Amino acid sequence: MGTMALAIHGGCGVMSPGSQPEAEWAEARAALAEALGAGWRVLSAGGRALDAVEAAVVVLEDSPHFNAGHGAALNADGEHELDASIMDGAGRLAGAVIGVRRARNPVRAARAVLDGGEAVILAGPAADAYAGARGAALVDPSYFTTERRRDNLLSMKARGQAGTGAAASEAEKHGTVGAVALDRDGHLAAATSTGGYTNKPAGRVGDSPIPGAGTYAEDGVCAVSGTGQGEAFIRHALAHDVAARMRYRGDALDAATAGVIADLTPRGTGAGLIALDAAGRVAMPFNTGGMFRGWATPDGDGFVATHGQVFALGRLGA
Ligand code: ASP
């Protein structure tokens, strides 16, 4: 039996600990623990890494604490345009959706595209319809909206008018969810899902649905899911850059992931990622104040964190 590994994230950002009550941090940590458990159950039952990352991301999309699915950010028109992708390191297969508004779980819509095998990326209403026709649950767009995201949009617009938009906290602007997994058969997979950022222009596409930018998986090398300013991830082909550093230059996972984040830091680009290598080693670098994250050791011990402090969950249930 090969080594299994799993890591998840719920977005990076400035996230000062005092920016929300402790009860909300605890709820977000509980959602991370639930997502970790959902992914681990798939892996420990002998399931595929691809199914594990989908299962973990679905839990995070369903939680209002993260900017994906229910609780996703609103664009400048006050609407949701959700992006997601999923990639199977076995055969480098990928599926992604851009700007969906009705698929309850955008990662499931991305999976439908991957499984359909006719396209890598589908966009807009056609992506919703494609997923719906393949059994994905469709909802009214109001399902995704929470009071917090309405408030975030109002405050971002107010800052924009006052010319202080740049001072908005990352938590108001960003937050994305993702998972990476290694299964017993040695296959790697990655998935990422996001609402983008609050007050983004209508039609804006981030890195999360772009294989090689916000998401990448390649058996024998690595699986990566990113969070942060998507435009920089796209321009740097960031997730693929991790794999390239490992494959062509022989970098270890730690060096490759630290290197791609370091490249973005001098320009003030907030960024983080989670990654696994083929041996199940985990790296989770970020250059912001915090990153919602969780991981499991090969024995199935779970951990979650938002800032420096790590919370041990004990052995994850099978
Ligand atoms: N990377 C996401 C995007 O640009 C946002 C984030 O992770 O905060 O759409």
Side-chain angles (χ1 to χ4, degrees):
M1 184 177 92
T3 302
M4 300 181 290
L6 178 68
I8 60 172
H9 73 81
C12 70
V14 173
M15 300 176 20
S16 71
S19 62
Q20 61 178 10
E22 171 50 30
E24 295 219 18
W25 291 112
E27 280 177 29
R29 288 196 301 268
L32 288 170
E34 198 191 324
L36 206 55
W40 194 254
R41 272 195 297 282
V42 173
L43 293 176
S44 54
R48 299 168 68 188
L50 190 66
D51 293 327
V53 294
E54 179 180 342
V57 167
V58 161
V59 172
L60 298 171
E61 287 179 337
D62 290 347
S63 165
H65 290 281
F66 308 104
N67 171 15
H70 178 59
L74 289 158
N75 71 12
D77 291 350
E79 291 177 339
H80 298 284
E81 292 183 311
L82 309 175
D83 296 340
S85 67
I86 187 164
M87 187 154 176
D88 184 357
R92 276 196 255 182
L93 302 175
V97 291
I98 286 175
V100 293
R101 295 182 178 183
R102 300 204 48 222
R104 183 180 199 273
N105 290 104
V107 72
R108 287 208 197 286
R111 177 69 187 266
V113 175
L114 187 156
D115 288 344
E118 298 169 280
V120 170
I121 306 178
L122 292 180
D128 281 316
Y130 189 90
R134 282 156 185 78
L138 300 181
V139 291
D140 185 87
S142 61
Y143 161 78
F144 300 112
T145 311
T146 59
E147 204 181 319
R148 177 189 312 188
R149 295 305 177 192
R150 272 200 217 99
D151 291 347
N152 287 163
L153 182 61
L154 289 176
S155 100
M156 284 299 291
K157 287 202 181 285
R159 285 172 196 269
Q161 273 163 9
T164 56
S169 75
E170 295 287 323
E172 280 176 289
K173 294 191 290 185
H174 291 293
T176 284
V177 307
V180 290
L182 173 69
D183 65 31
R184 283 178 181 170
D185 295 324
H187 298 307
L188 287 160
T192 312
S193 179
T194 189
Y197 63 88
T198 300
N199 205 27
K200 67 182 181 179
R204 178 264 187 185
V205 179
D207 59 310
S208 306
I210 311 290
T215 307
Y216 190 70
E218 181 180 343
D219 275 9
V221 185
C222 64
V224 180
S225 171
T227 171
Q229 288 175 23
E231 284 68 17
F233 278 68
I234 294 170
R235 287 188 278 101
H236 285 241
L238 194 121
H240 183 265
D241 193 19
V242 174
R245 286 166 189 249
M246 295 176 71
R247 182 148 35 86
Y248 302 137
R249 201 163 70 176
D251 277 9
L253 183 80
D254 269 348
T257 53
V260 298
I261 298 295
D263 276 358
L264 299 183
T265 305
R267 295 183 184 184
T269 303
L273 60 81
I274 54 170
L276 297 177
D277 70 10
R281 282 181 282 261
V282 182
M284 290 178 287
F286 53 94
N287 63 9
T288 53
M291 181 167 81
F292 293 95
R293 58 203 189 278
W295 64 99
T297 66
D299 291 334
D301 288 324
F303 298 89
V304 296
T306 55
H307 299 82
Q309 188 182 359
V310 172
F311 295 81
L313 304 173
R315 194 59 55 100
L316 297 170

